[in-house]
Amino acid sequence: MPRGLNLGCRAGGAGPRLDRVEQTPGAAGPPLTPRTAVVWSVLRAELDRRPSAELTVLDVGGGTGGFAVPLAQAGHQVTVVDASPDALAALSRRAAEAGVADRVRAVQGDGDALAGLVEPDSVDLVLCHAVLEVVDEPASVVTALATALRPGGAASVLVAGRSAAVLGRAMNGHLDVAATLATDPAGTARPRDTLRRRFDAEGAAALLTAAGLTVEEIHGVRVLADLLPAAVADGQQGALVELERALAARSPWRDLAVQLHLFARRPA
Ligand SMILES: C[S@@+](CC[C@H](N)C(=O)[O-])C[C@H]1O[C@@H](n2cnc3c(N)ncnc32)[C@H](O)[C@@H]1O
């Protein structure tokens, strides 16, 4: 039977030390970070819909298991499909150290070839975080996610936001790159850009909708976190987490976030 979440979350990317985990004082539940608190809030609400169920979870591009391992610790069965053998090796170590190796399956593979790796209609919750901006064919990956879901199953999709990238480059003095990111159809400044595309909320939602998913919620993740000096982010992390959560669903803050989190469902 699933236990309460105890979510030690991995943080990714550059910026101030935002990966340090803090527990909300006096509150039971997951440790919170500015990078992950909003996503975990949405996921926790979904898990709470079926508190005693052992869910089948698929994390596509799950990397080293920042989400997969806490979900396994909460009692769910998690399969991570990732293209990187190194990431999967780190995932397996992490799962073993957390005592949940039997609940975490690491599968090397491509996100748009899930059909051969995961049974269709078999997954309760699929995660695809920070992946659609780097794959060849995001529409194929999203279709594969939707196919893997059972009717009524849910998808948690995290993508890079275009607006924050434009602001970030401009504030660092790279006005030419900012202009390219603002006008390029895919929101990339390739070939020097590490991401192949960035999204606005409407474009990301359209991608999921085209695959037959119903988008239920969209939140901004890291509205402020990457803009703050490290001393502020580190020194007031609890307040920052609360502010991120307060701003995540509100205009215009949501659309200025470094990442956009979409929560969608396959119709039952
Ligand atoms: C930026 S990391 C994100 C990791 C994790 N989802 C997170 O949010 O912390 C992107 C991950 O996607 C994986 N990846 C990239 N392209 C992929 C593909 N076509 N199929 C499966 N995994 C892929 C990478 O190996 C990497 O682990």
Side-chain angles (χ1 to χ4, degrees):
M1 177 175 297
R3 299 179 290 278
L5 280 174
N6 180 18
L7 307 169
C9 305
R10 168 188 171 273
R17 287 177 42 215
L18 299 174
D19 54 343
R20 200 185 56 186
V21 168
E22 274 198 9
Q23 190 83 33
T24 305
L32 305 172
T33 79
R35 290 178 179 270
T36 59
V38 170
V39 176
W40 278 120
S41 293
V42 175
L43 293 180
R44 199 166 53 241
E46 176 66 9
L47 301 180
D48 287 348
R49 283 164 52 108
R50 298 166 63 187
S52 56
E54 179 181 302
L55 300 183
T56 301
V57 181
L58 171 66
D59 191 350
V60 176
T64 59
F67 280 80
V69 170
L71 286 166
Q73 288 176 298
H76 306 292
Q77 291 288 345
V78 188
T79 297
V80 176
V81 173
D82 199 288
S84 162
D86 290 345
L88 293 174
L91 163 71
S92 297
R93 283 195 298 275
R94 191 175 191 163
E97 284 166 11
V100 291
D102 57 332
R103 292 187 173 278
V104 176
R105 189 165 71 105
V107 178
Q108 189 183 357
D110 211 299
D112 59 11
L114 288 178
L117 304 170
V118 179
E119 197 72 21
D121 304 345
S122 68
V123 172
D124 298 301
L125 174 65
V126 64
L127 276 55
C128 184
H129 292 176
V131 174
L132 295 182
E133 49 271 61
V134 298
V135 297
D136 293 339
E137 294 285 347
S140 302
V141 174
V142 174
T143 298
L145 303 180
T147 304
L149 282 175
R150 296 185 209 281
S156 167
V157 176
L158 190 64
V159 296
R162 182 203 290 251
S163 301
V166 173
L167 291 176
R169 299 309 190 284
M171 287 169 62
N172 285 329
H174 303 298
L175 298 185
D176 52 342
V177 181
T180 301
L181 292 177
T183 54
D184 180 81
T188 182
R190 299 261 282 176
R192 287 170 57 197
D193 202 330
T194 54
L195 301 187
R196 304 176 77 148
R197 62 192 68 82
R198 292 177 180 79
F199 296 85
D200 56 29
E202 292 73 22
L207 191 62
L208 272 56
T209 302
L213 298 173
T214 301
V215 176
E216 296 184 346
E217 296 178 64
I218 304 179
H219 290 94
V221 175
R222 294 154 60 191
V223 174
L224 296 175
D226 294 31
L227 300 174
L228 302 181
V232 176
D234 280 353
Q236 303 182 54
Q237 194 178 58
L240 177 56
V241 164
E242 286 314 307
L243 192 50
E244 289 283 347
R245 286 153 65 111
L247 298 177
R250 290 167 52 183
S251 176
W253 313 112
R254 180 197 78 176
D255 298 315
L256 297 174
V258 172
Q259 292 171 300
L260 296 166
H261 181 246
L262 292 91
F263 189 76
R265 196 173 300 283
R266 181 174 169 190

